[in-house]
Amino acid sequence: MPYIYINIILAFVISLIGTLIYRSHLISSLLCLEGMILSLFTLNALLSLNINFTLSTIVPLILLVFAACEAAVGLALLIIISNTYGLDYVQNLNLLQC
Amino acid sequence: MKVINLIPTLMLTSLIILTLPIITTLLQNNKTNCFLYITKTAVTYAFAISLIPTLLFIQSNQEAYISNWHWMTIHTLKLSMSFKLDFFSLTFMPIALFITWSIMEFSLWYMHSDPHINRFFKYLLLFLITMLILVSANNLLQLFMGWEGVGIMSFLLISWWHGRTDANTAALQAMLYNRIGDMGFIMMMAWFTIHLNSWEFQQIFLTNPKNTTLPLLGLLLASAGKSAQFGLHPWLPSAMEGPTPVSALLHSSTMVMAGVFTLIRFYPLMENNLTIQTSTLCLGAITTLFTAICALTQNDIKKIIALSTSSQLGLMMVTIGINQPQLAFIHMCTHAFFKAMLFLSSGSIIHNLNNEQDIRKMGGLYKTMPITSTAIIIGSLALTGMPFLTGFYSKDPIIETANMSYINTWALLITLIAVSMTASYSTRIIFFALLGQPRYPPLTQVNENNPYLVNPIKRLILGSIFMGFLISMNTIPHTTPQMTMPPHLKFMALAVTLLGFTVATELNNMTHNLMFKQPSRMHTFSTMLGYYPTTTHRVLPYPSLTMSQNLATTIMDSIWLEKMIPKNLTTMQKTAASLVSNQKGLMKLYFLSFLLSITLGLLIAL
């Protein structure tokens, strides 16, 4: 497997670990989520260029569109949490059970 | 040369003479003050000329139909301008013209200080023209034009003093109640177009359709609206906000007769339809009793006379209901005279007492206003059916025929009670307005010196005394009146009238010695016009208005933009999520377990 693929997949794995392990701020998880999306996008683009399958050049674009929506949803959730609790500390989420 | 041929010509001449003053207002400005005399003279000449066709008709019984101008043909419906000069229209037109002449002369005195008196006369003349169009119409379209015309002129004339809120409200009320009746009229026109393809009376009566209940119900609704029958009656007492000449012309002699007149016109259809006859009878009986009850305790002299008009209209409906259209018509003609005279004399009293309309503040006018008090007494006697005055020749045959017909007994009893109440409230007017000591401020000058005031009243007095005799002696009855009946039925009308007189006189004499106590429930019911205006004018519009307000504000703003998608979606999702989730929000634990399971999976696989 070409080295570049291993590099980008490694970037993806590191971002994944960053999404799942974070200390207190929720926004760091969202940031690592964006990193995952970025690495996936780059992987998709390189792959469709190297295989010379021109019909699949649309796939990164679609991925980008959905990534934008997802980022918006994530930020909206962040804002709701921030409105309710004042900060985005993840330990707030189960402080007040309702 | 046969004189008979003059009937159509002279009638058209008479109608054209009436339109000339209107044309002069279009050509030059009517700022000159000889416009009044032009109008009055035009009406006088029109009256004189229209007498000739009437007399010719009495001599020869020759009807005439004039078909002038073909307006348009819509598919197979031919619309033209045509006049029907039969017994009804030829008798009514001179009477309407005579009364309008008297009222215009009276208005020269009554509205003397009004700056817009020229416009007042123009409106009166327009009203007269539209009324005559209604009376002489031979097809329903022309009749409807006259119908709407009198409605509009009634609106304009009731709100003559439009700075007063009550006048505007009353005019709107008149317009709305007339509109409800117009719905019935239009339904009738539509039915005749669909089933008989014509609006001409000749064709309608010739084809004599069998299932006429629906259009005749529409006609009954229209007459109820125009003639203030029960259910659509509150506009008539409220219409007294207009000047007294308007009340005398529109709301006593002519406009409110339009509904009854149209019902009389349709007598060939109505005599075959028993359902409609019974409905008319019951409606008329309820009207006459209810308005007579309400008239017993009113304190405004014009309202008493207005409710008396409504009661007599109910009596005319009763007459149509027992299938005697000609008697109803004769009663209409005679009623016009004495009712107009009652209104004119009440106008004379009102103006002379410096605009005082409350009968509790009148009194003692018997000696100071002899002509007016004579007029009121003669008018009241004619109204109650005193033998051999005018009302006798129309009211007594009605009661006799009702007694001897196969009729709903309840309607008959109610009509008789209403006849006795007629005598009671007439006595009340005479007692409070004319007799006793004066109850008005002593510095008012009371005089009857103006000939414009006195001459109309004198003419109408002559009419009230003699017209009944003249009309009934010169007309050929359509149906044979009942000649023999038991004495107690023959004297029934007279007996109930005398009963009403004596009871009212007793009660009125008792008021000299009584201390005023709180009015009883029945008294309040009668004074508040049966609570009918207070309830229906609020109960019926309020739900419609609130519903429309709520629809207008909520449909767009609240529902479509706010609630339909965003709020609904939020609540749905929130309830669903909180219902099915049993998580505790331990985010880091969940993420760590995710990571651990992925690593374990990868390690085991590899």
Side-chain angles (χ1 to χ4, degrees):
Chain A
M1 181 172 297
Y3 183 60
I4 183 85
Y5 293 145
I6 298 177
N7 202 350
I8 296 180
I9 290 174
L10 200 60
F12 175 74
V13 169
I14 292 178
S15 294
L16 179 65
I17 293 176
T19 316
L20 298 177
I21 302 176
Y22 57 94
R23 193 151 162 223
S24 47
H25 282 273
L26 193 64
I27 198 169
S28 66
S29 175
L30 291 178
L31 211 60
C32 292
L33 206 59
E34 295 303 310
M36 284 164 69
I37 303 267
L38 180 65
S39 61
L40 275 178
F41 174 77
T42 323
L43 190 64
N44 254 323
L46 282 176
L47 213 53
S48 55
L49 282 174
N50 268 342
I51 301 180
N52 292 331
F53 180 37
T54 40
L55 207 54
S56 71
T57 48
I58 199 173
V59 173
L61 288 173
I62 297 179
L63 180 65
L64 212 56
V65 165
F66 282 110
C69 301
E70 167 206 342
V73 169
L75 280 176
L77 282 173
L78 189 72
I79 289 178
I80 291 182
I81 293 178
S82 192
N83 272 346
T84 331
Y85 295 108
L87 288 170
D88 61 342
Y89 285 166
V90 76
Q91 65 215 28
N92 291 340
L93 286 180
N94 67 340
L95 269 182
L96 299 169
Q97 304 270 347
C98 63
Chain B
M1 185 194 76
K2 295 170 82 75
V3 187
I4 290 293
N5 296 336
L6 281 180
I7 292 183
T9 320
L10 287 181
M11 201 45 103
L12 280 181
T13 314
S14 168
L15 288 178
I16 289 176
I17 288 179
L18 282 182
T19 60
L20 288 177
I22 305 288
I23 297 179
T24 61
T25 68
L26 293 173
L27 295 176
Q28 66 180 22
N29 59 347
N30 52 347
K31 300 295 185 292
T32 69
N33 60 0
C34 63
F35 175 73
L36 310 174
Y37 304 100
I38 292 176
T39 314
K40 185 173 75 78
T41 329
V43 175
T44 316
Y45 286 169
F47 164 67
I49 294 181
S50 74
L51 267 183
I52 303 176
T54 309
L55 294 172
L56 285 172
F57 173 79
I58 291 176
Q59 189 245 344
S60 67
N61 201 21
Q62 164 94 9
E63 300 182 347
Y65 300 89
I66 312 173
S67 187
N68 279 348
W69 173 53
H70 173 211
W71 182 27
M72 63 160 80
T73 310
I74 304 178
H75 294 300
T76 52
L77 184 67
K78 179 175 178 214
L79 302 172
S80 59
M81 180 167 106
S82 58
F83 297 93
K84 178 174 181 178
L85 304 176
D86 63 341
F87 162 64
F88 297 129
S89 56
L90 277 176
T91 317
F92 191 73
M93 281 168 84
I95 293 178
L97 284 164
F98 179 72
I99 292 181
T100 313
W101 170 34
S102 306
I103 289 177
M104 277 190 178
E105 202 173 328
F106 177 80
S107 308
L108 282 173
W109 172 76
Y110 194 84
M111 309 289 290
H112 178 71
S113 56
D114 196 315
H116 300 294
I117 189 173
N118 287 346
R119 190 150 47 102
F120 186 76
F121 269 68
K122 188 166 78 163
Y123 285 173
L124 283 184
L125 190 62
L126 271 175
F127 168 79
L128 180 66
I129 294 174
T130 48
M131 184 72 201
L132 291 180
I133 291 177
L134 196 157
V135 162
S136 62
N138 195 20
N139 56 352
L140 278 176
L141 184 66
Q142 202 166 325
L143 204 149
F144 192 59
M145 286 184 196
W147 187 275
E148 291 297 303
V150 298
I152 291 181
M153 296 324 293
S154 163
F155 173 80
L156 287 174
L157 282 169
I158 295 176
S159 61
W160 178 254
W161 290 311
H162 51 78
R164 188 179 148 86
T165 323
D166 285 339
N168 289 332
T169 317
L172 263 182
Q173 215 175 334
M175 214 51 214
L176 288 175
Y177 277 116
N178 273 335
R179 258 294 171 252
I180 299 178
D182 289 348
M183 288 193 317
F185 199 97
I186 293 184
M187 177 173 79
M188 174 177 74
M189 286 171 78
W191 194 93
F192 280 133
T193 314
I194 294 175
H195 284 87
L196 299 178
N197 190 29
S198 164
W199 280 333
E200 302 272 328
F201 284 155
Q202 276 75 40
Q203 186 163 339
I204 294 175
F205 297 152
L206 204 59
T207 48
N208 204 10
K210 284 289 167 278
N211 46 350
T212 52
T213 308
L214 189 62
L216 289 178
L217 269 179
L219 180 62
L220 188 60
L221 179 65
S223 310
K226 192 64 109 179
S227 298
Q229 299 300 304
F230 183 71
L232 298 175
H233 66 278
W235 68 270
L236 192 53
S238 307
M240 296 298 118
E241 294 287 335
T244 309
V246 168
S247 305
L249 187 57
L250 271 71
H251 307 117
S252 67
S253 336
T254 32
M255 183 183 119
V256 292
M257 301 302 168
V260 182
F261 189 84
T262 319
L263 268 181
I264 293 176
R265 268 270 196 254
F266 273 88
Y267 76 89
L269 291 182
M270 283 192 62
E271 62 189 4
N272 295 331
N273 194 333
L274 281 180
T275 318
I276 297 292
Q277 281 183 15
T278 321
S279 319
T280 319
L281 178 71
C282 295
L283 184 64
I286 293 182
T287 308
T288 179
L289 182 68
F290 182 76
T291 48
I293 290 178
C294 290
L296 283 177
T297 56
Q298 296 297 315
N299 292 319
D300 185 355
I301 189 173
K302 284 175 71 173
K303 275 205 168 55
I304 301 181
I305 306 180
L307 289 166
S308 162
T309 309
S310 203
S311 187
Q312 295 301 307
L313 286 170
L315 187 65
M316 287 175 220
M317 283 286 199
V318 165
T319 323
I320 298 178
I322 56 178
N323 201 11
Q324 300 289 333
Q326 199 177 11
L327 282 181
F329 177 73
I330 295 178
H331 190 60
M332 211 169 94
C333 295
T334 54
H335 171 265
F337 281 99
F338 45 81
K339 198 45 72 72
M341 184 171 72
L342 279 175
F343 266 113
L344 289 191
S345 20
S346 74
S348 153
I349 295 180
I350 291 173
H351 242 38
N352 273 322
L353 293 183
N354 205 10
N355 296 333
E356 181 58 63
Q357 284 186 288
D358 198 332
I359 57 174
R360 298 173 289 193
K361 289 198 186 158
M362 301 175 188
L365 294 172
Y366 188 70
K367 295 290 174 63
T368 52
M369 298 176 70
I371 299 178
T372 310
S373 38
T374 316
I376 288 188
I377 294 178
I378 292 182
S380 301
L381 286 176
L383 174 63
T384 58
M386 160 103 164
F388 308 117
L389 286 184
T390 312
F392 174 73
Y393 287 101
S394 55
K395 203 164 180 184
D396 216 55
I398 293 176
I399 306 289
E400 282 175 15
T401 320
N403 274 332
M404 300 300 293
S405 313
Y406 181 60
I407 192 180
N408 191 341
T409 315
W410 167 79
L412 176 64
L413 284 176
I414 283 188
T415 315
L416 289 173
I417 296 177
V419 166
S420 78
M421 286 187 181
T422 309
S424 300
Y425 58 68
S426 304
T427 319
R428 187 164 188 260
I429 293 181
I430 294 176
F431 180 79
F432 276 93
L434 303 180
L435 305 176
Q437 300 294 319
R439 291 183 290 274
Y440 49 89
L443 286 181
T444 31
Q445 296 123 348
V446 169
N447 64 17
E448 296 177 326
N449 297 334
N450 200 330
Y452 286 141
L453 167 64
V454 168
N455 285 338
I457 295 186
K458 277 189 196 163
R459 279 200 296 270
L460 285 175
I461 288 180
L462 284 176
S464 295
I465 299 178
F466 294 116
M467 276 317 288
F469 176 72
L470 289 176
I471 290 182
S472 59
M473 287 301 131
N474 287 324
T475 60
I476 304 172
H478 289 172
T479 59
T480 321
Q482 187 80 13
M483 295 296 180
T484 58
M485 59 189 82
H488 63 272
L489 290 182
K490 180 80 179 162
F491 291 125
M492 178 81 76
L494 199 56
V496 294
T497 311
L498 285 176
L499 180 70
F501 270 135
T502 42
V503 168
T505 320
E506 263 315 300
L507 286 173
N508 286 334
N509 278 335
M510 282 167 69
T511 61
H512 283 309
N513 308 325
L514 279 177
M515 191 178 73
F516 182 72
K517 55 184 196 299
Q518 285 290 326
S520 62
R521 291 281 178 89
M522 276 305 291
H523 189 272
T524 340
F525 177 84
S526 175
T527 316
M528 297 291 291
L529 300 179
Y531 305 118
Y532 186 92
T534 25
T535 50
T536 53
H537 289 174
R538 192 70 189 146
V539 160
L540 287 176
Y542 185 69
S544 324
L545 288 175
T546 44
M547 181 186 77
S548 48
Q549 183 194 21
N550 283 339
L551 275 180
T553 54
T554 56
I555 274 193
M556 192 58 185
D557 296 338
S558 175
I559 293 182
W560 189 245
L561 291 178
E562 241 185 86
K563 290 211 178 96
M564 172 75 78
I565 297 181
K567 290 261 171 70
N568 261 344
L569 205 58
T570 330
T571 14
M572 200 162 45
Q573 296 292 336
K574 218 187 284 189
T575 29
S578 56
L579 206 60
V580 301
S581 94
N582 49 2
Q583 300 176 5
K584 293 188 179 51
L586 306 165
M587 290 295 301
K588 284 165 71 172
L589 200 63
Y590 302 151
F591 278 168
L592 272 175
S593 68
F594 186 52
L595 187 63
L596 207 61
S597 35
I598 284 190
T599 357
L600 271 179
L602 279 177
L603 276 179
I604 291 179
L606 290 181

